[in-house]
């Protein structure tokens, strides 16, 4: 039996807090400014504004909530201030997904979306599912009832859809604030959520105030909706503060490339999903490949998902993705084409078991902040939008009933959304993902899915568990098989930094690293010593490197290249001792995805 690395190694209370005599982490969430003399005479007062509803995150769920709130206010002829704050420089700039979407939530929210020019045109016309071997391909039948059956759905560039939703929100009277990062949850004296504060700007890399330092702004609201997406850093805080989660979430990392391919090979409307090679039979994951025509361009969205509950610390999700593209059935579709985009993002895989309590005094969780991705269908956009709609309706009703109160608790949202297809779908597919966690791996998962979902629709009276948290499933490096990956050829497969250059990622360099360490020595004494430094492999952007120490070149130190960060949140999830805490950098930083 393999030993858990967490059980094997306990962090000593005496761990040192410095690396080469200097702090690695200078962020104020770790280094309190109250005890720092450099901040003694700095004015820390913040201005504030008051709204009825503040929404953190300008993605499908947040924008749907905002639009629905304004629709209800217009219908009732009521004044209602709604603000959306989004950390990306433009709405949709941090959005990354496959994506094949169902439009039922959009049909409900904006029935005339086609007439309004929504960038949703490419219907799925043909599809396939397969199990890959190293050189072969075993087809899996696709018919109604199979979770990944998609006939009639739409292939989209989700970033463009989100950008369009932002335009609809502004037209509806929503105050949309891009390039504004929500960095702090504010609380009333009674413990209820009061709103959020945006990030301070003008802090130097060493944690000191620069000449242009400016305090963030406070957004107060009767209700704050957290719509940050998977593993949002403020959502994580309210989940803990209000003890909302009873079962841990399990996650995956999705990596994606956008290719412009040879027109002769292009099959607009064709999609495929695979599982199997190059992953081992006991490793959950798989691929997607979607042909879409956009503005006359013959495009292919190709991606790879690796579940973050893997045990082997030598596994490298990015290199697994590159290796997958060398399969004969995949390479033949891409050869002769040009890669024009790259990105990665963590995604929720916990499903029904991991959905938390959704409301609390002063706010609620929607979309992927709530965990509404249906991993069996590889879809979450329609569920995210629907949850935003339902939340908006519950919040509006509560505000109408209690116009004079400062804070509301949208209790009805939790009950109402659980009666919609959002949670009903998750319940029906709840056992598919954990059924892949047996010794039979994806073979066992396929057998279980066929018996109990395709034919039984998830009516079995039991619910399988995901087990331990993802970070607790790593085993020590010495107990794990090393994995050799082929070198990139620069045509079909690429080195990591070349890929990161396609993301448009940029951060103000002279600011504290937003990848904070609770203890600066844990990466060396635990991660490197026991697990072989897995952060250098699970990060899809080259943020973490173990390099020779300046003080002693025979030793290593952790170098954090925060400017490379593409905000995927994988490190916040998979770090063995949860020592890495992702916090927001200055607004506008991060990737600049264009229609990803």
């Amino acid at each position: 039996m393999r030993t858990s690395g967490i059980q094997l190694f306990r962090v000593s209370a005496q761990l040192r807090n410095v690396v080469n005599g200097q702090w690695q982490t200078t962020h104020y969430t770790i280094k309190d400014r109250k005890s720092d003399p450099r901040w003694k005479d700095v004015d820390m007062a913040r201005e504030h504004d008051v709204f009825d509803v503040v929404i953190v995150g300008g993605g499908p769920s947040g924008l749907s909530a905002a639009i629905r709130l304004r629709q209800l206010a217009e219908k009732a002829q009521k004044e209602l201030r709604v603000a959306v704050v989004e950390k990306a420089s433009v709405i949709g700039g941090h959005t990354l997904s496959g994506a094949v979407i169902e439009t039922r939530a959009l049909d409900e929210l904006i029935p005339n979306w086609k007439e309004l020019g929504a960038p949703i045109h490419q219907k799925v016309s043909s599809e396939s599912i397969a199990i890959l071997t190293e050189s072969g391909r075993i087809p899996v039948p696709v018919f109604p009832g199979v979770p990944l059956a998609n006939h009639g759905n739409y292939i989209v560039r989700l970033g463009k859809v989100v950008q369009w939703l932002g335009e609809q929100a502004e037209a509806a009277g929503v105050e949309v604030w891009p390039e504004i990062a929500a960095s702090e949850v504010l609380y009333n004296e009674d413990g209820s959520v009061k709103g959020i504060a945006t990030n301070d700007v003008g802090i130097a890399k060493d944690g000191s105030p620069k000449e242009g330092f400016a305090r963030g702004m406070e957004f107060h609201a009767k209700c704050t909706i957290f719509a940050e997406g998977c593993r949002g850093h403020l959502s994580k805080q309210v989940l803990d503060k209000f003890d909302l989660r009873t079962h841990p979430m399990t996650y995956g990392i999705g990596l994606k490339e956008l290719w412009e391919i040879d027109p002769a090979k292009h099959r607009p409307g064709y999609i495929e999903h695979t599982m199997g090679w190059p992953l081992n039979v006991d490793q959950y994951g798989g691929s997607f490949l979607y042909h879409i025509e956009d503005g006359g361009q013959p495009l292919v969205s190709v991606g790879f998902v690796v579940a973050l509950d893997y045990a082997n610390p030598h596994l490298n999700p990015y290199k697994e993705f590159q290796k997958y593209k060398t399969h004969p059935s995949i390479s033949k579709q891409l050869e002769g084409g040009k890669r024009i985009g790259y990105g990665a993002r963590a995604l929720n895989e916990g499903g029904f078991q991991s959905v938390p309590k959704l409301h609390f005094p002063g706010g609620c969780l929607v979309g992927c902040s709530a965990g509404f991705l249906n991993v069996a269908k590889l879809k979450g956009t329609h569920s995210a939008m629907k949850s935003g709609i339902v939340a908006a309706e519950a919040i509006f009703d509560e505000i109408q009933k209690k116009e004079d109160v400062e804070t509301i608790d949208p209790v009805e949202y939790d009950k109402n959304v659980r009666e919609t297809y959002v949670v009903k779908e998750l319940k029906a597919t709840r056992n598919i993902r954990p059924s892949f966690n047996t010794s039979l791996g994806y073979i066992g998962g396929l057998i279980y899915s066929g018996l109990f979902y395709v034919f039984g629709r998830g009516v079995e009276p039991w619910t399988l568990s995901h087990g331990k948290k993802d970070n607790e499933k790593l085993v020590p490096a010495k107990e794990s098989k090393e994995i050799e990956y082929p070198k990139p050829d620069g045509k079909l497969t690429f080195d990591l930094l070349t890929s990161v250059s396609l993301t448009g990622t940029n951060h103000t360099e002279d600011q504290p690293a937003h990848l904070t360490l609770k203890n600066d020595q844990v990466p060396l004494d635990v991660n490197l010593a026991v697990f072989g430094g897995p952060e250098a492999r699970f990060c899809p952007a080259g943020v973490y490197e173990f390099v020779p120490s300046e003080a002693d070149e025979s030793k290593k130190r952790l170098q954090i290249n925060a400017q490379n960060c593409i905000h995927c949140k994988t490190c916040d999830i998979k770090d063995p001792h949860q020592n890495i805490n992702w916090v927001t950098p200055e607004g506008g930083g991060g990737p600049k995805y264009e229609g990803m």
Side-chain angles (χ1 to χ4, degrees):
M1 184 176 75
R2 289 190 294 188
T3 307
S4 165
I6 302 300
Q7 294 171 335
L8 180 75
F9 194 98
R10 298 290 181 185
V11 180
S12 166
Q14 303 301 318
L15 282 175
R16 300 184 307 279
N17 290 319
V18 293
V19 178
N20 295 329
Q22 294 184 347
W23 282 87
Q24 175 89 354
T25 298
T26 60
H27 198 277
Y28 68 86
T29 57
I30 303 295
K31 294 274 285 181
D32 191 353
R33 292 184 290 203
K34 292 178 182 178
S35 59
D36 187 337
R38 298 174 299 178
W39 289 88
K40 182 179 178 182
D41 298 319
V42 176
D43 181 7
M44 300 299 282
R46 286 191 290 215
E47 295 184 0
H48 75 276
D49 201 352
V50 180
F51 300 84
D52 292 291
V53 182
V54 168
I55 301 169
V56 183
S61 63
L63 291 170
S64 295
I67 292 168
R68 185 62 182 142
L69 281 163
R70 289 296 305 156
Q71 289 174 341
L72 293 167
E74 287 292 319
K75 185 176 180 180
Q77 297 185 327
K78 294 284 185 179
E79 288 294 324
L80 193 78
R81 285 194 77 190
V82 181
V84 173
V85 293
E86 166 56 46
K87 63 184 173 65
S89 58
V90 295
I91 297 298
H94 286 178
T95 300
L96 182 138
S97 183
V100 172
I101 66 169
E102 298 179 13
T103 61
R104 55 171 142 173
L106 181 59
D107 294 336
E108 177 184 350
L109 182 67
I110 307 175
N112 61 333
W113 56 267
K114 291 182 180 178
E115 290 76 13
L116 291 175
I120 304 172
H121 311 290
Q122 187 72 71
K123 270 198 170 185
V124 175
S125 56
S126 60
E127 57 188 314
S128 67
I129 302 174
I131 299 171
L132 298 185
T133 63
E134 187 169 355
S135 59
R137 185 181 179 98
I138 304 169
V140 176
V142 185
F143 52 87
V146 173
L148 284 173
N150 279 287
H151 194 78
N153 292 330
Y154 287 84
I155 311 168
V156 299
R157 299 175 67 177
L158 192 60
K160 289 191 172 185
V161 176
V162 169
Q163 184 179 22
W164 177 83
L165 281 173
E167 294 168 357
Q168 307 312 303
E170 287 190 300
V174 178
E175 298 176 51
V176 180
W177 298 62
E179 209 167 359
I180 302 295
S183 64
E184 181 183 345
V185 183
L186 304 174
Y187 297 97
N188 293 300
E189 290 184 2
D190 63 0
S192 61
V193 171
K194 185 177 185 177
I196 58 94
T198 66
N199 63 287
D200 297 343
V201 296
I203 303 175
K205 199 165 190 174
D206 65 0
S208 64
K210 293 192 282 191
E211 187 176 341
F213 171 76
R215 199 79 160 102
M217 180 177 172
E218 295 187 359
F219 285 64
H220 299 173
K222 294 180 178 180
C223 189
T224 303
I225 301 176
F226 293 88
E228 299 174 284
C230 176
R231 196 71 170 194
H233 85 291
L234 297 188
S235 303
K236 189 171 72 166
Q237 293 175 32
V238 297
L239 280 162
D240 290 341
K241 179 176 176 61
F242 295 104
D243 197 21
L244 302 179
R245 198 184 294 288
T246 56
H247 297 282
M249 176 61 71
T250 186
Y251 300 89
I253 177 174
L255 304 105
K256 175 184 173 179
E257 294 177 352
L258 189 64
W259 284 69
E260 185 171 2
I261 67 166
D262 181 349
K265 298 179 180 180
H266 198 229
R267 301 166 61 188
Y270 170 72
I271 69 171
E272 67 174 72
H273 295 95
T274 72
M275 64 189 74
W277 189 88
L279 296 175
N280 291 333
V281 69
D282 61 349
Q283 173 59 50
Y284 186 81
S287 76
F288 61 85
L289 191 150
Y290 306 151
H291 287 242
I292 177 174
E293 185 174 333
D294 184 53
Q297 285 183 290
L299 301 178
V300 164
S301 293
V302 58
F304 202 74
V305 177
V306 177
L308 289 176
D309 61 354
Y310 63 82
N312 187 340
H314 299 297
L315 188 144
N316 186 314
Y318 174 81
K319 291 185 177 180
E320 295 286 344
F321 177 29
Q322 298 305 302
K323 189 175 180 180
Y324 149 78
K325 290 185 295 175
T326 67
H327 192 276
S329 70
I330 307 303
S331 61
K332 70 179 182 181
Q333 300 184 62
L334 302 176
E335 286 171 347
K338 179 184 179 183
R339 189 178 65 150
I340 59 175
Y342 166 77
R345 185 70 169 91
L347 51 94
N348 300 299
E349 292 190 349
F352 180 77
Q353 293 90 319
S354 302
V355 173
K357 180 181 176 182
L358 301 169
H359 71 95
F360 43 87
C364 63
L365 301 165
V366 298
C368 285
S369 282
F372 286 141
L373 175 74
N374 187 330
V375 69
K377 295 175 66 172
L378 209 57
K379 282 181 189 54
T381 303
H382 68 295
S383 297
M385 293 181 68
K386 179 63 175 178
S387 70
I389 293 168
V390 177
E393 292 169 349
I395 291 165
F396 185 79
D397 288 346
E398 197 70 13
I399 291 175
Q400 289 284 84
K401 293 175 191 174
K402 303 173 181 177
E403 291 187 8
D404 298 328
V405 301
E406 291 186 356
T407 304
I408 65 163
D409 185 344
V411 176
E412 292 300 307
Y413 158 60
D414 196 307
K415 185 185 77 172
N416 293 346
V417 78
R418 292 179 192 275
E419 295 174 355
T420 69
Y421 59 78
V422 174
V423 177
K424 289 180 179 178
E425 280 186 0
L426 293 181
K427 186 175 182 181
T429 60
R430 69 193 182 281
N431 288 329
I432 292 179
R433 171 66 184 87
S435 73
F436 283 73
N437 288 346
T438 69
S439 59
L440 294 175
Y442 65 76
I443 297 172
L446 287 172
I447 293 171
Y448 187 96
S449 301
L451 289 174
F452 292 102
Y453 180 75
V454 174
F455 298 109
R457 285 295 183 272
V459 296
E460 65 268 29
W462 57 83
T463 297
L464 302 178
S465 171
H466 295 295
K468 295 184 294 186
K469 295 179 181 179
D470 292 344
N471 64 293
E472 296 175 353
K473 293 184 179 181
L474 276 181
V475 301
K478 67 181 182 181
E479 297 180 18
S480 307
K481 182 180 179 181
E482 293 193 20
I483 304 173
E484 291 188 14
Y485 293 101
K487 292 183 179 180
D489 61 16
K491 297 178 181 178
L492 184 67
T493 59
F494 304 89
D495 67 86
L496 183 55
L497 293 184
T498 299
S499 295
V500 175
S501 70
L502 292 176
T503 67
T505 296
N506 185 55
H507 295 88
T508 300
E509 188 170 349
D510 189 16
Q511 65 174 308
H514 62 282
L515 297 314
T516 69
L517 303 177
K518 297 174 185 176
N519 188 303
D520 287 344
Q521 200 62 26
V522 166
L524 300 180
D525 288 356
V526 182
N527 292 13
L528 184 61
V530 179
F531 300 102
E535 54 267 64
R537 290 180 288 277
F538 60 58
C539 174
V543 170
Y544 301 97
E545 289 184 277
F546 287 94
V547 299
S549 168
E550 290 89 346
D552 183 350
E553 292 192 358
S554 67
K555 297 181 179 179
K556 299 280 189 179
R557 67 174 178 86
L558 176 65
Q559 178 170 293
I560 298 179
N561 305 308
Q563 69 275 13
N564 285 10
C565 179
I566 56 176
H567 298 201
C568 74
K569 313 297 179 65
T570 304
C571 59
D572 194 270
I573 296 164
K574 192 62 176 173
D575 182 54
H577 275 284
Q578 296 291 274
N579 186 54
I580 298 173
N581 185 46
W582 192 100
V583 298
T584 185
E586 289 187 6
K592 290 181 172 59
Y593 296 137
E594 295 186 12
M596 289 289 280

